[in-house]
Amino acid sequence: MSEQTTKVAEPVITEPASHKTPSANPLQSFLRGPAGRSLGLVIALALLVVVGAVTSGDRFLNVENMLTILRLASIIGVISIGMTFVITAGGIDLSVGSVMGLTSVVATLTSVQLAANQSSWLLIVVVALGVGLAAGLINGLVIAYGNVVAFMATLAMLVGARGLAELISGRSTQIVTNRDFLRVMRSELLGIPFLIWIFIIVAIAGWFLLNRTTFGRRTIAIGGNLEASRLAGIKVKRHLVYLYVLAGLAAGIAGVMMLGRTTAGTSTHGLLYELDAIAAVVVGGTLLIGGRGTIMGTVLGVLIFSTLTNVFTQNNLDTSVQALAKGLIIVVAVLLQQRFAGRGPRRGKS
C-alpha cells in the first residue's frame, strides 16, 4: 500500500495597506539625526556671533577676541568630553571640577616642582594626570563594584577632593616656578595657543574613541540598556570603571591646562566646572538618560556657552543675566531631548 504525501502550501501573509508605515519626511529624518542636531547648534552659534558683531563690532570680531573665546572653551571643553562618555553610559560625574583643583594643587607642591626642576617639566604633567586617574579609578570602583549610585559616589568625591586640596595647600595659592613648563604651555603653533591645540587633540581623540571603536559602541550600549549589555557579554562593571578613569584623566589634563593659563595651583580651581560641563554635554545633544552621545555636539555646546559669556562681557552686562540666559538654554535643551527621545524606542530599565 503506497503512502500518499500531501503538500500544503505555506500561506503568504501580506500586510494590510492600512498598517503600512508611511515613509518619513526626508527633512524631518535629517533634523532628527546627528547631522540635523549639529546643524541646529551651528545655527545657534552663528546667531550668537551675529549678536556679538552687531553689539560690539570690531571688539568682538577681531582675531584676539576669537582666540580668547577658544581659550575660555578649551579647559571646560576637555572636561566636557570626558563627561560625555560618562553621561552616554547613563552615569554622572559631579567631581570633575574638584578633581581638577586637586590635580593643580598636588602638581605644584614644592617637592614636585623641585623634582621637576632637577629632571623634566613633564613630571608636573605626569603627577597631575596621575592624580586625575587615581580619583577616577576610586569613583569607578565605588560605583561599579561598591554598587553606590553614581550621583552619591561622585558627590562624595567632589567634597573629599576639594577638602584634600585645601588641606594640602593650606588654602593658599601655589605658584608654578618651572619656566620650561610655562614656556611650553604658553607657546603657540601656527598662531594658535597650545591650550587650544590640546582641546582640539582631545576632541578628535574623543570623537574617534566614541564613534569608531568597540569601546564607544559598548559605552552607547550600556547607556541604552545596561542589563541587555550584560547579557550580551559586555563586562559592564569593568567598562564603567574605565569610563570614570577616562573622566578623571580629562580632569587631570584640564588641571595641567589651568596651571599653564594661571601659573598657579589652588583648591578653588574648577569650582562649579562640573555643572558647566554637564550643561555643555546636554545642550550638545547627549541624552541624560544615556544611550546617545555626541562629541561634536559637546564641542559646539562648549563654544556656545563660551561665546555667550564673551558677548555678555563685551557688553558689560550683569553676570546674573548671563546665568539666567544659560539656565534658559539648558531648560530648552532638556525639553527638546525629552520630546525627541520619547519618539524613539524606549530605553530598557536595568
Side-chain angles (χ1 to χ4, degrees), residues 40-89:
L41 293 171
V42 170
I43 292 173
L45 181 59
L47 289 175
L48 280 175
V49 172
V50 170
V51 171
V54 170
T55 57
S56 303
D58 294 338
R59 286 187 297 118
F60 179 82
L61 291 176
N62 67 71
V63 175
E64 186 57 37
N65 188 58
M66 293 294 106
L67 291 177
T68 298
I69 292 175
L70 291 175
R71 284 193 202 97
L72 181 65
S74 61
I75 296 178
I76 190 64
V78 169
I79 290 180
S80 299
I81 288 169
M83 185 72 76
T84 301
F85 282 88
V86 173
I87 293 180
T88 299

Side-chain angles (χ1 to χ4, degrees), residues 22-347:
S23 58
N25 187 321
L27 179 60
Q28 291 180 349
S29 300
F30 172 78
L31 292 176
R32 293 175 187 174
R37 288 189 292 270
S38 295
L39 178 61
L41 293 171
V42 170
I43 292 173
L45 181 59
L47 289 175
L48 280 175
V49 172
V50 170
V51 171
V54 170
T55 57
S56 303
D58 294 338
R59 286 187 297 118
F60 179 82
L61 291 176
N62 67 71
V63 175
E64 186 57 37
N65 188 58
M66 293 294 106
L67 291 177
T68 298
I69 292 175
L70 291 175
R71 284 193 202 97
L72 181 65
S74 61
I75 296 178
I76 190 64
V78 169
I79 290 180
S80 299
I81 288 169
M83 185 72 76
T84 301
F85 282 88
V86 173
I87 293 180
T88 299
I92 198 75
D93 191 345
L94 300 178
S95 68
V96 286
S98 296
V99 170
M100 189 190 93
L102 179 61
T103 62
S104 73
V105 167
V106 176
T108 53
L109 288 173
T110 303
S111 57
V112 175
Q113 295 203 66
L114 284 175
N117 290 334
Q118 295 172 0
S119 55
S120 170
W121 62 271
L122 288 173
L123 180 63
I124 296 175
V125 177
V126 171
V127 170
L129 297 186
V131 172
L133 288 170
L137 178 61
I138 293 172
N139 278 336
L141 291 175
V142 171
I143 292 167
Y145 294 97
N147 295 321
V148 177
V149 177
F151 182 91
M152 295 305 300
T154 57
L155 180 61
M157 179 60 74
L158 179 154
V159 177
R162 187 75 65 189
L164 181 59
E166 291 176 353
L167 287 174
I168 293 174
S169 64
R171 301 197 178 194
S172 61
T173 300
Q174 300 174 167
I175 305 299
V176 179
T177 59
N178 190 288
R179 295 183 180 275
D180 292 335
F181 173 82
L182 294 177
R183 186 180 67 253
V184 171
M185 298 305 294
R186 293 189 165 190
S187 62
E188 293 184 356
L189 179 62
L190 303 177
I192 300 175
F194 189 60
L195 293 182
I196 298 175
W197 280 113
I198 294 176
F199 179 34
I200 293 171
I201 292 170
V202 171
I204 293 173
W207 180 88
F208 182 83
L209 187 61
L210 184 62
N211 295 283
R212 292 290 183 270
T213 66
T214 304
F215 183 89
R217 289 192 291 272
R218 288 174 178 172
T219 300
I220 295 171
I222 290 172
N225 193 314
L226 189 146
E227 185 61 23
S229 300
R230 187 185 65 80
L231 294 175
I234 297 176
K235 297 185 183 301
V236 173
K237 292 186 176 182
R238 186 171 69 182
H239 194 87
L240 288 176
V241 173
Y242 291 158
L243 289 173
Y244 285 95
V245 168
L246 183 62
L249 175 63
I253 296 173
V256 173
M257 295 169 71
M258 183 63 80
L259 287 177
R261 194 176 97 180
T262 64
T263 71
T266 172
S267 59
T268 58
H269 278 332
L271 192 64
L272 298 181
Y273 270 36
E274 58 277 353
L275 301 183
D276 288 339
I278 293 170
V281 171
V282 172
V283 168
T286 297
L287 287 179
L288 270 174
I289 60 174
R292 187 184 77 198
T294 163
I295 297 296
M296 179 59 68
T298 295
V299 171
L300 289 171
V302 170
L303 291 176
I304 285 173
F305 281 125
S306 61
T307 304
L308 180 67
T309 299
N310 187 265
V311 170
F312 274 84
T313 302
Q314 291 283 346
N315 291 279
N316 295 319
L317 295 176
D318 194 337
T319 55
S320 299
V321 180
Q322 177 184 329
L324 177 62
K326 280 187 176 182
L328 290 174
I329 292 173
I330 295 168
V331 169
V332 171
V334 172
L335 288 175
L336 289 174
Q337 278 197 11
Q338 289 179 344
R339 180 174 181 181
F340 289 116
R343 293 179 178 177
R346 290 185 176 272
R347 182 174 178 264

